[in-house]
């Protein structure tokens, strides 16, 4: 008979008694299945690395790998650009917070309409707005587009009455027509359309002046030549393309709910970002190689399994960085990536140390594997849950680079949980299935009292427990299906009775 006798705790605990040596159970393990699965994992890893790092051309289409500037959205500090910080000039107004949020949304809409779709507009504190526009050819032009956000007033000169304010202006943009040359086109909301139609109908030949903020000097004065009932007006004159663009920008700057003052602005060179990205990648690659070398040296085949799981982790991580629209990679974000990689390695170290402890205490390699993962689970979950909570708080309360750090760290922690508890566990399982009787391959050692105990002494018991657990799960599933079918039958009978 091939059946093995499991080693009981009473037999292990008797001092001076030699533990029974039982024939290893590795012959009963399905090696072919494990080899097939390991080969499939290796193929998936190779394919993933190709898609992650190698650019390819499919016909006329050029594929950009996950780790590329085209795939991953880079922040201002990595690809250069411009940033500006604006502060509200008057915070003592009704619904100030709502007006600040409206102003932020208006700035975002303005830059998006001008083609700067990757611009980031966030609030800093309660009374500041930070604008970041990465990867721009003319950084100084961004400040001209935004202008100096303030209030705008259209005043009828004959009565000195304000007829239109920035709240009534939907859009202002430069244009060109054959009759007037360069012009500025205005569009009003429904309230502004009614006011402007009435004023232009009753005051033809009069002038309207446009003022910014509290200034007494108009930025433009226009004649009322006809009634304008449709809410769309054109300001014409001796405009050049530059002057028309400047006037349109000045008018748009007055459409915000809150008047803003420019407090800080800076242009960041793309060269600085390129160097930071290059050296960050070099540091990451060197650190990654050292970590893999450490794992393989200390834990041998276990470390090899962890290294494979770590490579899969990096591939999945890069994929999510490339596809998630709200992830923007910054220098603090790179720090979050490296920190999350460290936490992924830490999870594997915790698991492997538990396996070593279990084997040292008399269990077989397979039994130590199951016990190690099971006992390390809650320690890993506890440490990662606290990190997740901290990341969520930083995302909700932080701004700018702090939020970028928190997002990349959160994504990395969640992926590391999957790779360490699922991927790493699977790879270790398949490797142990191939050899569960040579402890040296895993750098495992017995305590002195268990030196004579074979490495696979309790494998039969472990396999029996696994089979029993599998049967229990199947029985529970069948019981659920029977209960569901019974409830369905009772509902049908109730319907027929009714």
């Amino acid at each position: 008979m091939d059946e093995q006798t499991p080693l009981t705790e009473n037999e292990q605990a008797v001092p001076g008694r030699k533990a029974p040596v039982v024939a290893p159970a590795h012959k009963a393990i399905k090696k072919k299945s494990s080899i097939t699965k390991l080969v499939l994992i290796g193929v998936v890893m190779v394919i993933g690395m190709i898609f992650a790092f190698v650019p390819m051309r499919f016909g006329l289409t050029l594929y950009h790998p996950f780790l590329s500037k085209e795939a991953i959205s880079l922040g201002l500090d990595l690809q250069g650009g411009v940033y500006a910080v604006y502060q509200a000039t008057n915070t003592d107004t009704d619904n100030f917070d709502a007006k600040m949020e409206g102003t932020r949304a208006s700035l975002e809409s303005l830059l998006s309409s001008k083609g700067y779709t990757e611009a980031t507009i966030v609030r800093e504190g309660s009374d500041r707005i930070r604008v970041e526009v990465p990867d721009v050819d003319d950084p100084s032009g961004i400040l001209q587009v935004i202008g100096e956000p303030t209030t705008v007033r259209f005043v009828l000169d004959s009565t000195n009455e304000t007829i239109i304010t920035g709240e009534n202006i939907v859009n202002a943009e430069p244009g060109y027509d054959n009759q007037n040359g360069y012009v500025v086109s205005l569009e009003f909301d429904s309230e502004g359309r009614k006011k402007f139609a009435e004023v232009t109908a009753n005051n033809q030949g009069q002038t309207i002046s446009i003022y910014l903020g509290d200034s007494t000097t108009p930025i433009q004065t226009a004649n009322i030549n006809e009634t304008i009932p449709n809410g769309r007006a054109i300001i014409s004159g001796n405009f050049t393309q530059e002057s028309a663009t400047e006037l349109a920008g000045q008018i748009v700057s007055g459409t915000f709910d809150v008047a803003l003052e420019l407090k800080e602005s800076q242009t960041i060179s793309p060269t600085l970002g390129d160097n930071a990205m290059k050296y960050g990648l070099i540091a990451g690659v060197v650190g990654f190689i050292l970590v893999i070398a450490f794992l393989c040296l200390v834990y041998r085949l276990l470390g090899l399994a962890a290294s494979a799981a770590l490579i899969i982790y990096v591939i999945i991580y890069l994929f999510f960085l490339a596809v998630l629209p709200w992830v923007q990679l910054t220098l603090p974000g790179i720090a979050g990536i490296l920190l999350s990689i460290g936490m992924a390695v830490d999870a594997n170290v915790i698991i492997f140390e538990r396996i070593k402890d279990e084997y040292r205490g008399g269990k077989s390699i397979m039994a130590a594997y199951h016990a190690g993962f099971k006992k390390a689970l809650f320690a890993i979950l506890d440490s990662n849950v606290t990190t997740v909570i901290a990341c969520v708080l930083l995302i909700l309360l932080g701004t700018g680079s702090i939020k970028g750090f928190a997002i990349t760290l959160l994504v990395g922690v969640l992926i590391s949980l999957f790779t360490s508890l699922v991927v790493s566990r699977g790879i270790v399982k398949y490797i142990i299935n191939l050899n569960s009787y040579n402890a040296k391959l895993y750098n495992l050692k017995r305590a002195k009292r268990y030196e004579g105990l074979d490495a696979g002494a309790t494998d039969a018991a472990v396999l029996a427990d696994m089979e029993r657990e599998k049967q229990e799960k199947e029985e529970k599933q069948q019981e659920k299906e029977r209960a569901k079918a019974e409830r369905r039958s009772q509902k049908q009978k109730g319907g027929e009775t009714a």
Side-chain angles (χ1 to χ4, degrees):
M1 294 180 63
D2 292 331
E3 188 176 299
Q4 295 179 334
T5 303
L7 184 65
T8 64
E9 292 184 1
N10 290 335
E11 290 174 322
Q12 294 178 3
V14 178
R17 183 176 181 179
K18 186 177 181 181
V21 178
V22 186
H26 57 274
K27 293 182 180 180
I29 299 173
K30 298 179 180 180
K31 292 186 177 181
K32 290 184 179 180
S33 175
S34 298
I35 293 174
T36 301
K37 291 175 181 176
L38 287 173
V39 170
L40 287 175
I41 292 173
V43 171
V44 170
M45 285 175 55
V46 172
I47 295 174
M49 292 175 68
I50 291 174
F51 279 95
F53 302 107
V54 181
M56 294 175 286
R57 183 174 292 278
F58 300 97
L60 299 177
T61 304
L62 178 63
Y63 167 77
H64 299 290
F66 304 151
L67 186 62
S68 65
K69 294 181 179 179
E70 292 79 9
I72 299 178
S73 176
L74 300 181
L76 188 68
D77 51 359
L78 292 181
Q79 61 178 330
V82 64
Y83 81 86
V85 178
Y86 295 93
Q87 185 172 22
T89 57
N90 183 15
T91 60
D92 190 19
T93 61
D94 295 334
N95 299 322
F96 174 74
D97 189 69
K99 289 182 178 180
M100 280 291 291
E101 184 58 32
T103 301
R104 187 206 64 78
S106 297
L107 276 169
E108 188 172 52
S109 177
L110 170 62
L111 288 170
S112 180
S113 66
K114 300 298 183 181
Y116 302 103
T117 55
E118 294 186 357
T120 302
I121 299 91
V122 295
R123 292 179 60 181
E124 286 190 346
S126 61
D127 62 346
R128 288 194 174 199
I129 295 178
R130 183 184 183 91
V131 180
E132 295 183 353
V133 187
D135 194 23
V136 291
D137 296 329
D138 182 19
S140 61
I142 301 299
L143 299 178
Q144 294 179 2
V145 170
I146 300 173
E148 182 91 9
T150 182
T151 56
V152 65
R153 296 173 289 123
F154 285 60
V155 178
L156 182 62
D157 292 330
S158 61
T159 62
N160 202 29
E161 175 190 1
T162 299
I163 56 174
I164 296 289
T165 65
E167 296 178 354
N168 306 124
I169 299 173
V170 175
N171 192 22
E173 59 184 4
Y176 183 88
D177 64 40
N178 294 327
Q179 183 179 356
N180 300 304
Y182 288 103
V183 297
V184 176
S185 300
L186 302 177
E187 182 182 352
F188 304 107
D189 62 8
S190 57
E191 182 182 354
R193 177 178 58 81
K194 293 178 182 179
K195 290 181 180 179
F196 207 69
E198 180 181 349
V199 170
T200 54
N202 299 328
N203 296 277
Q204 291 189 21
Q206 301 296 321
T207 58
I208 294 178
S209 294
I210 305 174
Y211 296 88
L212 292 179
D214 298 326
S215 174
T216 57
T217 302
I219 60 172
Q220 186 67 32
T221 299
N223 293 318
I224 302 175
N225 296 326
E226 59 183 351
T227 302
I228 302 176
N230 60 1
R232 295 178 179 273
I234 291 177
I235 303 175
S236 59
N238 297 320
F239 288 118
T240 63
Q241 182 178 4
E242 291 75 15
S243 61
T245 302
E246 181 182 2
L247 178 59
Q250 288 176 317
I251 294 174
V252 169
S253 72
T255 63
F256 305 128
D257 296 331
V258 176
L260 301 175
E261 178 185 3
L262 180 64
K263 301 298 291 185
E264 179 185 355
S265 66
Q266 183 176 345
T267 300
I268 297 177
S269 169
T271 304
L272 177 63
D274 288 340
N275 291 335
M277 188 73 173
K278 180 176 69 176
Y279 292 124
L281 286 174
I282 292 174
V285 170
V286 172
F288 189 77
I289 293 174
L290 291 176
V291 166
I292 288 180
F294 168 80
L295 289 173
C296 293
L297 180 65
V298 175
Y299 300 105
R300 299 181 185 175
L301 283 184
L302 293 178
L304 182 64
S307 300
L310 203 57
I311 293 173
I312 295 174
Y313 164 84
V314 171
I315 294 171
I316 297 175
Y317 201 170
L318 291 176
F319 170 76
F320 277 102
L321 290 178
V323 300
L324 292 178
W326 33 266
V327 173
Q328 190 177 62
L329 191 59
T330 61
L331 281 176
I334 292 177
I337 292 173
L338 298 178
L339 180 58
S340 60
I341 291 176
M343 295 186 69
V345 174
D346 181 61
N348 282 286
V349 169
I350 292 174
I351 293 169
F352 296 159
E353 288 299 324
R354 290 300 304 174
I355 291 175
K356 292 174 72 174
D357 289 342
E358 296 296 326
Y359 183 81
R360 189 181 298 111
K363 291 185 177 179
S364 69
I365 294 177
M366 183 177 289
Y369 150 75
H370 285 283
F373 272 93
K374 186 176 181 179
K375 293 183 179 181
L377 174 63
F378 292 104
I380 295 172
L381 287 178
D382 288 345
S383 62
N384 283 274
V385 164
T386 54
T387 304
V388 168
I389 293 173
C391 290
V392 171
L393 291 176
L394 287 176
I395 292 172
L396 295 176
L397 304 178
T399 58
S401 58
I402 295 176
K403 183 178 290 188
F405 167 79
I407 289 175
T408 53
L409 180 58
L410 176 62
V411 173
V413 167
L414 294 178
I415 297 173
S416 72
L417 278 173
F418 169 75
T419 53
S420 60
L421 297 178
V422 178
V423 178
S424 181
R425 181 168 188 165
I427 297 175
V428 171
K429 174 185 176 182
Y430 302 141
I431 291 177
I432 291 178
N433 283 348
L434 297 179
N435 191 314
S436 62
Y437 51 88
N438 189 346
K440 293 181 179 180
L441 294 176
Y442 309 97
N443 199 22
L444 300 177
K445 296 180 181 180
R446 295 287 194 195
K448 287 186 178 181
R449 64 187 303 181
Y450 303 119
E451 287 179 350
L453 188 62
D454 188 82
T458 60
D459 281 357
V462 174
L463 291 173
D465 289 340
M466 290 172 61
E467 187 64 29
R468 187 186 72 256
E469 290 176 1
K470 182 179 179 181
Q471 291 177 355
E472 289 177 352
K473 288 182 180 179
E474 291 177 352
E475 290 174 358
K476 288 181 180 179
Q477 184 63 29
Q478 293 174 358
E479 182 65 29
K480 288 181 180 179
E481 291 177 356
R482 283 196 296 268
K484 188 183 296 183
E486 185 178 349
R487 288 195 298 269
R488 191 182 303 113
S489 176
Q490 290 176 352
K491 287 182 179 179
Q492 291 175 353
K493 288 181 180 180
E496 293 174 357
T497 303

